Amino acid sequence: MAKSKTIITCAVTGAIHTPTMSDHLPVTQTEITEQAIAAAEAGASILHLHTRDPIDGRPSVEPDDYAPILARVKQSTDAVINITTGGAPTMLIKDRIKAAVQFSPEMCSLNMGSMNFAFHGLAGRYDTWKHDWEKDYILGSESNIFRNTLADIRQAAETLDPLGVKFEHECYDVGHLYTLKHCMDAGLFKAPVFLQFVFGVLGGIGPDIDNLIFMKRTADRLFGDDYRWSVLGAGGAQMPLATTASQMGGNVRVGLEDSLFISRGELATSNAQQVTKIRRIIEDLGNEVATPDEAREMLALKGGDRVAF
Ligand code: KMH
Ligand code: ZN
């Protein structure tokens, strides 16, 4: 069987990192748009997008804060747009799905369980902050629960499935794979599902290669060969785990949402820099990177002409 190509997803800004942490983190609509376009030009076939408040860069799920980004990215690239339904860990599903309902993208993320999602440890690295909200937001993650109950998952599935949206199922631990299997048995999702194995979030499974093999073996047992998978390592685990996943036949996710760095201690200057690096590694090791249309075929997406933006 021909080796399948590797899909690179780029997660451009997210909701965990804040403006103080890197001058290169895109926070305005113009910055998010320009970095998303450059990431697609560098080889990302899927762009996982969050948006932010244009005034102070705090996480936002307002459709108005997405609209200018989506229009320009669509005009300038052929990349698959994937809108988060994770929003920020402090937000509820009813608000987190609003933009996806309005814009009907080809893909959305969907978080497969409630969990601790703690990043309060980052606060100690900074003495001063660009904006008032940042420090409390970061410290608050120690006592927050990232809520994704089975009812929340059902609500997202039942609202977005009629729009033909395909999910990037974010699985932060092995139990999330069983939750997905339960939901598939209940008829909420159809094969082939697209799994994003997430490693290194405090509250989820750790970023060890043993864990990657365990997640993959469990997914094989639960879903047979009728699923696609990708790996996201948080922080310093980003490039090593993406490299390993690509060698195991999986797909990869990079981007400043997941790590602000390009190598140990060196901030990435852009999302495109991370895409370029993982693309070079993938190609040097003998694999090919999927184009957006190849990604559409591999993931059975509805097509870029069936979105509402
Ligand atoms: N920030 C990532 C670890 C989402 O947007 O739905 C997970 C994520 C969540 O991308
Ligand atoms: Zn995200």
Side-chain angles (χ1 to χ4, degrees):
M1 202 169 87
K3 213 171 179 182
S4 76
K5 296 191 180 182
T6 308
I7 298 169
I8 302 177
T9 296
C10 182
V12 178
T13 185
I16 307 304
H17 296 129
T18 68
T20 294
M21 297 177 184
S22 172
D23 290 339
H24 308 295
L25 179 71
V27 292
T28 66
Q29 274 57 37
T30 302
E31 288 167 350
I32 295 169
T33 303
E34 287 175 354
Q35 287 218 25
I37 293 168
E41 286 168 351
S45 48
I46 302 177
L47 298 168
H48 169 83
L49 297 178
H50 292 236
T51 195
R52 291 180 183 259
D53 181 304
I55 307 294
D56 63 9
R58 77 177 69 212
S60 162
V61 286
E62 287 309 313
D64 285 353
D65 293 336
Y66 274 104
I69 300 171
L70 299 176
R72 256 193 78 199
V73 172
K74 182 179 170 184
Q75 205 173 48
S76 310
T77 80
D78 185 32
V80 174
I81 306 288
N82 166 333
I83 295 181
T84 180
T85 69
T90 48
M91 299 171 178
L92 296 177
I93 197 75
K94 69 175 174 41
D95 299 314
R96 288 159 30 192
I97 60 176
K98 272 191 315 196
V101 170
Q102 179 162 332
F103 298 115
S104 187
E106 289 182 85
M107 295 189 79
C108 278
S109 61
L110 185 57
N111 295 269
M112 295 311 296
S114 300
M115 58 187 289
N116 294 329
F117 194 128
F119 41 96
H120 55 288
L122 295 175
R125 298 186 191 173
Y126 310 95
D127 294 328
T128 55
W129 299 85
K130 283 186 189 164
H131 303 286
D132 289 346
W133 64 271
E134 294 178 70
K135 189 174 179 188
D136 287 347
Y137 176 72
I138 307 274
L139 288 175
S141 69
E142 187 180 13
S143 49
N144 189 55
I145 295 170
F146 184 26
R147 185 190 143 133
N148 299 286
T149 63
L150 287 168
D152 292 345
I153 292 168
R154 173 184 290 281
Q155 185 181 346
E158 290 179 345
T159 311
L160 295 170
D161 184 64
L163 304 179
V165 175
K166 180 93 177 186
F167 293 103
E168 172 199 5
H169 294 276
E170 313 267 353
C171 297
Y172 300 78
D173 215 328
V174 74
H176 294 175
L177 299 176
Y178 287 86
T179 299
L180 175 56
K181 172 71 172 146
H182 167 86
C183 293
M184 290 178 76
D185 290 345
L188 289 183
F189 309 109
K190 285 185 244 8
V193 287
F194 181 48
L195 311 183
Q196 188 70 257
F197 300 150
V198 182
F199 299 94
V201 168
L202 184 53
I205 200 166
D208 307 302
I209 289 176
D210 269 357
N211 290 339
L212 167 49
I213 292 167
F214 177 47
M215 291 285 275
K216 169 73 170 60
R217 218 185 303 131
T218 306
D220 287 345
R221 200 165 57 244
L222 293 174
F223 310 115
D225 54 13
D226 202 8
Y227 76 98
R228 305 282 177 271
W229 62 286
S230 174
V231 165
L232 166 189
Q238 182 182 64
M239 292 293 166
L241 284 184
T243 303
T244 307
S246 71
Q247 283 296 291
M248 289 169 62
N251 303 288
V252 304
R253 177 169 132 173
V254 294
L256 299 188
E257 168 166 349
D258 304 332
S259 170
L260 291 172
F261 294 89
I262 192 67
S263 57
R264 185 179 289 273
E266 188 187 344
L267 287 173
T269 55
S270 67
N271 280 276
Q273 190 188 21
Q274 291 182 345
V275 173
T276 300
K277 178 169 176 168
I278 195 63
R279 180 183 189 156
R280 182 182 55 70
I281 292 170
I282 290 167
E283 291 177 344
D284 279 358
L285 295 179
N287 286 357
E288 284 179 80
V289 165
T291 64
D293 278 343
E294 288 166 342
R296 287 184 173 96
E297 199 182 326
M298 290 162 72
L299 301 179
L301 304 184
K302 65 180 177 178
D305 55 342
R306 292 186 52 211
V307 298
F309 55 90

